[in-house]
């Protein structure tokens, strides 16, 4: 097995799986050979997006508690996985997100106020603009894995040099759809990237109870696709892994499963209590890997980022959130009649009749 | 005009649309090289290539889910689920993901997919190969349900289904695939989705049926006629949208109706049809509308299949009951 897997330095090894890391928690480059070719401006852009997303997340949690947002899945801690992976894509690559993956589709082009509308249960939240290549977040765990597989099949059939990417969590890797998707991608050699953001908990169930596999990345082996495990708190490592997977897909070399080792600092949703299933020690240990602090230290050493920059971005993000939540709140409410009209392209007679009960 | 059985008519419909539209693809288990276990797609891979007509790994959810992803990209997949009992494996992708794609995206995306599946009893097939699962689909907002009863309709409805921008659950009765031949026009024509067909006119009682049961109903009508009872037989062709207007028009004439379905009696298509009749035509009824259906058991093993399925005799008895009410 290891013979198959030892072609590049960061591939999954057996029995001890090592994560692809470029930055240490202190922001030192520990694997300079793997450093992606990014300009200073791009490095700053990655930091900008992570800080912005952290601030947006903090505000969103508060807005949720105020009843101004509906369903919301916090993302703090997973910024490197989310931002780094999206940043590695082209604009015409297609994202099939899971329920927590709103940042990726917003940075891919979905207007922020639509993300808020989605959270507030408004259909316009899912009316993705024509030039934005994403689906709305998927609620059924793992269903999006098959949609990405189908989108990738379409790219292959059309001969387009595009890739589809999808996200799920460690719990999602236990689903039947996960295996079916990977197997199809292997059988058809599809340009698709399956990412698993292994944040250690499927709501409250720990990773240790999720699988006896050596790693989630190992699950690629059964499907005959490439499997990679990455330090998901290291934005450069995530960017590197997804860039390479995208290149492989575009070059006709098939699919990649990327396990991103990450951690959600907050609860699964706004409803669960992390003290019931996590320890302070564990949380403390993971907070040392905070992707924003780590990358910030690296950038600071290069003279590309300062505390003032962080504060400036936070203020920008707060202003953007305020503006967009107001826009979402000001958007005209859905109507039942309008809802009925989205069941079919042409509303059939029985639904027209039902509509009249609500007008 | 060519004589075709239903299987050939369905194949002809798919061939027509594969020719017409490069966005049409056929895939599923064994549909390519062999043309499916019933040979419905036989020869299509040879004619259109493996790119357009291809076998998949054995995984129903992935077949349906891949169709959703391809549909989002503008393709018009025809996804075959090999036998009806296997749709349970694909229910999320068919009835959740495809059926609510337009709703979830506020109309931005659609899922122009035809999910084909053979179903229907009386052929002594293995367990879970023959059940009538249309009721599941009817409880699912956002998906159309088509059940043809003859070769002409099968071709015209299949072409309509492929061209439809909404997902369609297209149920092909096993017993009708090779049951008989009928005249089927060459080339393209459509039978509209949502339009029933009065296959036999009558004045005394309306028998509403679909799929194989249309033929059982016609046999019953023959029997009734021997007793001087003129039954009108309606072939629904489409269960959703349902052509309630044709049903109501018939009941206005006959004042009595029975609904025949192979599926188990409770909460199925027949129950819905009767509910709609109550809403729209109750003042025209001289008797309660009765159901002739399978009993509420699991679909039986082959030994008692024929006894379990609705028969002409049971339909005749029901017709006499409503006439004598």
């Amino acid at each position: 097995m290891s013979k198959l897997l030892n072609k590049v330095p960061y591939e999954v090894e057996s029995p001890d799986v090592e994560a692809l890391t470029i930055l240490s928690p202190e922001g030192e480059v520990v694997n300079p050979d793997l450093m992606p070719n990014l300009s200073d401006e791009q490095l700053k852009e990655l930091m900008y997006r992570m800080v912005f997303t952290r601030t947006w997340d903090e505000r969103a949690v508060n807005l949720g508690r105020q009843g101004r947002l509906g369903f919301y899945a916090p993302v703090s801690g997973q910024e490197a996985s989310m931002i780094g992976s999206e940043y590695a894509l082209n604009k015409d690559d297609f994202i099939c997100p899971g329920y927590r993956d709103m940042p990726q589709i917003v940075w891919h082009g979905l207007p922020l106020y639509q993300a808020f509308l989605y959270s507030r249960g408004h259909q316009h939240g899912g009316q993705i603009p024509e030039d934005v290549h994403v689906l709305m977040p998927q609620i059924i765990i793992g269903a999006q894995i098959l949609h990405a597989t189908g989108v990738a099949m379409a790219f292959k059939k059309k001969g387009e040099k595009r890739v589809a990417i999808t996200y799920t969590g460690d719990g999602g890797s236990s689903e039947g759809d996960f295996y079916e998707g990977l197997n199809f991608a292997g059988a058809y050699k599809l340009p698709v990237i399956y990412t698993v953001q292994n944040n250690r908990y499927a709501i409250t169930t720990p990773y240790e109870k999720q699988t006896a596999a050596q790693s989630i990345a190992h699950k690629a082996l059964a499907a005959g696709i490439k499997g990679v495990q990455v330090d998901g708190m290291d934005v450069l490592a995530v960017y590197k892994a997804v860039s390479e997977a995208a290149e492989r897909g575009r070059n006709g070399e098939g699919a990649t499963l990327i396990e991103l080792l990450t951690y959600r600092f907050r609860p699964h949703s706004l409803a669960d209590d992390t003290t019931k299933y996590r320890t302070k020690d564990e949380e403390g240990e993971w907070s040392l890997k905070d992707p924003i602090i780590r990358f910030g230290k690296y950038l600071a050493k290069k003279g590309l980022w300062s505390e003032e920059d962080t504060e400036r971005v936070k203020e920008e993000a707060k202003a953007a959130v305020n503006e967009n939540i107001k826009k979402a709140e000001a958007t005209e409410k859905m109507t039942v009649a309008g809802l009925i009209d989205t069941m079919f392209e042409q509303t059939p007679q029985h639904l027209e009749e039902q509509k009249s009960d609500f007008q | 005009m060519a004589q075709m059985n239903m299987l050939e008519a369905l194949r002809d419909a798919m061939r027509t649309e594969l020719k017409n539209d490069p966005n049409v693809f056929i895939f599923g288990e064994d549909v390519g090289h062999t043309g499916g276990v019933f040979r419905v797609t036989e020869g299509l891979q040879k004619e259109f290539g493996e790119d357009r007509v291809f076998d998949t790994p054995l995984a129903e959810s992935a077949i349906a889910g891949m169709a959703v992803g391809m549909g989002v990209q503008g393709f018009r997949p025809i996804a075959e689920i090999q036998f009806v009992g296997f749709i349970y494996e694909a229910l999320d992708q068919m009835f959740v993901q495809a059926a609510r794609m337009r709703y979830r995206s506020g109309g931005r995306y659609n899922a122009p997919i035809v999910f084909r599946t053979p179903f229907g009893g009386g052929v002594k097939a293995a367990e879970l190969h023959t059940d009538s699962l249309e009721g599941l689909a009817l409880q699912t907002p956002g998906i159309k349900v088509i059940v043809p009863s003859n070769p002409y309709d099968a071709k015209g409805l299949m072409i309509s289904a492929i061209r439809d921008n909404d997902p369609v659950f297209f149920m092909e009765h096993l017993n009708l695939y090779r049951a008989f031949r009928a005249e089927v026009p060459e080339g393209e024509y459509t039978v509209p989705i949502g339009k029933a067909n009065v296959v036999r006119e009558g004045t005394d009682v309306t028998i509403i049926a679909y799929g194989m049961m249309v033929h059982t109903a016609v046999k019953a009508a023959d029997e009734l006629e021997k007793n001087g009872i003129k039954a009108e037989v309606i072939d629904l062709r489409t269960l959703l949208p349902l052509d309630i207007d044709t049903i109501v028009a018939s009941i206005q004439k006959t004042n009595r109706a029975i609904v025949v379905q192979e599926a188990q009696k409770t909460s199925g298509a027949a129950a819905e049809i009767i509910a709609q009749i109550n809403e729209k035509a109750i003042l025209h009824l001289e008797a309660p509308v009765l159901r002739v259906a399978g009993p509420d058991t699991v679909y039986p093993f082959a030994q008692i299949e024929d006894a379990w399925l609705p028969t002409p005799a049971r339909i005749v008895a029901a017709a006499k009951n409503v006439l004598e009410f």
Side-chain angles (χ1 to χ4, degrees):
Chain A
M1 193 157 62
S2 56
K3 195 178 166 191
L4 276 175
L5 293 172
N6 275 341
K7 288 181 187 161
V8 288
Y10 53 83
E11 277 178 327
V12 178
E13 288 178 37
S14 197
D16 299 309
V17 171
E18 282 189 22
L20 159 60
T21 299
I22 294 174
L23 294 179
S24 73
E26 291 72 41
E28 302 288 345
V29 177
V30 292
N31 281 310
D33 294 350
L34 300 176
M35 181 60 83
N37 186 22
L38 289 167
S39 68
D40 287 351
E41 282 312 304
Q42 288 174 308
L43 292 171
K44 287 199 284 186
E45 178 69 13
L46 277 172
M47 185 63 177
Y48 176 92
R49 291 185 180 198
M50 287 205 292
V51 174
F52 189 108
T53 303
R54 174 74 57 91
T55 308
W56 152 24
D57 186 60
E58 286 166 353
R59 289 287 295 127
V61 169
N62 288 335
L63 289 169
R65 289 184 178 137
Q66 293 165 20
R68 294 171 74 187
L69 285 182
F71 171 75
Y72 182 75
V75 303
S76 288
Q78 297 189 206
E79 293 92 344
S81 286
M82 293 172 162
I83 307 302
S85 58
E86 190 281 328
Y87 201 67
L89 304 173
N90 292 338
K91 274 296 163 202
D92 67 349
D93 291 333
F94 198 98
I95 299 177
C96 297
Y99 57 82
R100 200 184 302 282
D101 302 311
M102 197 55 93
Q104 295 95 308
I105 63 174
V106 166
W107 290 115
H108 213 56
L110 180 74
L112 186 57
Y113 87 95
Q114 283 192 261
F116 292 151
L117 277 175
Y118 175 86
S119 177
R120 290 165 60 85
H122 193 302
Q123 274 187 321
H124 180 56
Q127 281 169 331
I128 311 293
E130 287 284 341
D131 58 346
V132 178
H133 303 288
V134 305
L135 280 177
M136 60 297 270
Q138 179 53 241
I139 299 301
I140 298 300
I141 307 298
Q144 71 275 20
I145 291 168
L146 298 179
H147 303 161
T149 307
V151 168
M153 178 61 99
F155 292 160
K156 183 170 179 166
K157 294 280 182 205
K158 291 189 231 180
E160 295 178 343
K161 297 265 183 197
R162 301 165 71 185
V163 298
I165 187 169
T166 186
Y167 296 84
T168 191
D170 34 315
S173 72
S174 299
E175 287 278 359
D177 280 354
F178 176 83
Y179 293 93
E180 293 193 17
L182 266 60
N183 188 53
F184 267 49
Y188 295 121
K189 219 168 186 183
L190 298 178
V192 54
I193 304 166
Y194 303 106
T195 70
V196 175
Q197 296 180 87
N198 177 355
N199 66 17
R200 315 301 300 178
Y201 292 91
I203 303 189
T204 68
T205 302
Y207 175 71
E208 290 68 27
K209 291 186 178 171
Q210 195 65 240
T211 178
Q214 286 180 34
S215 77
I216 289 171
H218 278 84
K219 298 186 179 193
L221 298 179
I225 66 172
K226 188 178 172 69
V228 184
Q229 193 186 58
V230 180
D231 182 340
M233 307 293 266
D234 176 353
V235 71
L236 294 178
V238 174
Y239 176 86
K240 172 79 173 172
V242 176
S243 300
E244 290 198 354
E247 198 181 328
R248 285 168 44 75
R250 278 189 248 287
N251 290 340
E253 294 168 55
T256 308
L257 168 64
I258 302 176
E259 178 183 10
L260 300 161
L261 298 174
T262 186
Y263 199 74
R264 57 172 158 82
F265 292 154
R266 291 177 182 274
H268 158 73
S269 68
L270 301 184
D272 66 294
D273 175 4
T274 54
T275 64
K276 296 236 167 94
Y277 59 95
R278 300 203 301 217
T279 64
K280 283 275 170 223
D281 282 354
E282 180 186 288
E283 290 179 343
E285 190 185 319
W286 278 94
S287 70
L288 295 175
K289 298 178 183 173
D290 187 319
I292 292 175
I293 294 172
R294 181 195 290 202
F295 193 53
K297 283 179 182 170
Y298 167 75
L299 291 183
K301 282 174 198 162
K302 286 173 71 88
L304 295 175
W305 199 264
S306 65
E307 275 303 310
E308 292 72 38
D309 289 320
T310 299
E311 287 311 311
R312 173 180 55 80
V313 179
K314 280 184 178 174
E315 289 311 310
E316 264 186 53
K318 281 180 195 166
V321 168
N322 283 345
E323 184 189 327
N324 282 281
I325 189 71
K326 280 181 191 157
K327 190 171 175 184
E329 286 169 339
T331 301
E332 199 175 340
K333 271 190 179 175
M334 285 172 62
T335 62
V336 176
L339 167 67
I340 286 172
D341 278 337
T342 57
M343 288 296 104
F344 295 100
E345 184 177 45
Q346 288 179 322
T347 302
Q349 180 188 328
H350 71 286
L351 277 171
E352 284 292 352
E353 289 169 9
Q354 291 173 28
K355 205 160 75 176
S356 66
D357 295 341
F358 296 93
Q359 281 171 329
Chain B
M1 211 181 284
Q3 290 277 321
M4 293 186 199
N5 61 27
M6 197 168 96
L7 177 160
E8 291 161 344
L10 288 165
R11 182 192 301 146
D12 200 41
M14 288 186 272
R15 179 188 289 118
T16 303
E17 289 309 280
L18 281 164
K19 267 189 202 158
N20 272 343
D21 186 349
N23 291 315
V24 174
F25 290 80
I26 297 175
F27 53 85
E29 293 154 16
D30 309 304
V31 299
H33 181 64
T34 43
V37 292
F38 296 102
R39 311 288 183 265
V40 179
T41 52
E42 191 169 43
L44 295 180
Q45 186 180 71
K46 203 171 173 191
E47 191 174 345
F48 295 96
E50 276 192 57
D51 183 53
R52 302 284 302 282
V53 181
F54 56 96
D55 293 326
T56 62
L58 197 165
E60 287 79 11
S61 185
I63 292 167
M66 185 166 75
V68 174
M70 291 175 75
V72 164
Q73 284 298 310
F75 287 163
R76 311 187 81 83
I78 304 171
E80 180 181 299
I81 304 296
Q82 197 161 55
F83 286 99
V84 72
F86 311 168
I87 72 164
Y88 291 108
E89 302 289 333
L91 278 186
D92 174 55
Q93 292 295 341
M94 290 172 66
F95 291 177
V96 180
Q97 306 301 333
R100 65 171 62 202
M101 184 57 78
R102 191 182 292 282
Y103 150 74
R104 293 195 77 224
S105 65
R108 165 69 176 84
Y109 295 114
N110 57 19
I113 305 161
V114 181
F115 296 107
R116 290 183 46 235
T117 190
F119 84 108
V123 293
K124 310 287 190 290
E127 190 180 10
L128 283 163
H129 282 52
T130 47
D131 304 45
S132 296
L133 302 183
E134 62 274 18
L136 297 177
L138 296 178
Q139 271 276 295
T140 303
I143 191 163
K144 294 175 179 173
V145 184
I146 295 175
V147 193
S149 73
N150 62 71
Y152 177 90
D153 285 356
K155 178 174 172 181
L157 286 165
M158 177 57 82
I159 292 177
S160 292
I162 295 167
R163 294 178 184 178
D164 201 285
N165 284 332
D166 294 309
V168 175
F169 185 36
F170 200 99
M171 301 179 71
E172 303 165 8
H173 201 288
L174 281 168
N175 231 341
L176 291 174
Y177 271 150
R178 299 171 194 274
F180 62 96
R181 288 177 184 277
E183 289 198 339
V184 174
E186 310 278 350
E188 57 183 279
Y189 68 91
T190 57
V191 170
I193 295 172
K195 187 80 191 100
N197 186 25
V198 178
V199 295
R200 182 189 183 107
E201 295 204 359
T203 50
D204 300 330
V205 59
T206 300
I207 307 175
I208 300 155
Y210 54 96
M212 183 67 202
M213 286 299 110
V214 173
H215 303 279
T216 310
V218 168
K219 280 182 193 162
D222 288 342
E223 284 299 311
L224 288 165
E225 191 153 17
K226 288 176 193 165
N227 297 306
I229 300 163
K230 289 188 167 32
E232 179 146 303
V233 179
I234 296 177
D235 176 357
L236 292 173
R237 299 199 286 211
T238 306
L239 294 176
L240 200 144
L242 181 74
D243 183 1
I244 191 65
D245 291 348
T246 294
I247 295 169
V248 168
S250 179
I251 288 171
Q252 284 172 348
K253 186 167 61 169
T254 63
N255 309 116
R256 291 172 172 84
I258 53 178
V259 189
V260 189
Q261 65 177 23
E262 274 190 45
Q264 290 83 347
K265 190 171 187 178
T266 299
S267 304
E272 171 58 27
I273 291 161
I274 293 168
Q276 291 198 33
I277 290 170
N278 280 341
E279 287 173 356
K280 304 216 170 190
I282 198 158
L283 294 178
H284 297 281
L285 288 172
E286 296 290 344
V289 182
L290 297 184
R291 286 172 286 184
V292 179
D296 290 339
T297 70
V298 171
Y299 190 91
F301 293 122
Q303 244 181 32
I304 56 165
E305 207 177 25
D306 291 340
W308 190 90
L309 289 164
T311 56
R314 284 178 58 201
I315 298 171
V316 167
K320 285 181 176 168
N321 278 342
V322 297
L323 282 157
E324 289 160 12
F325 179 78

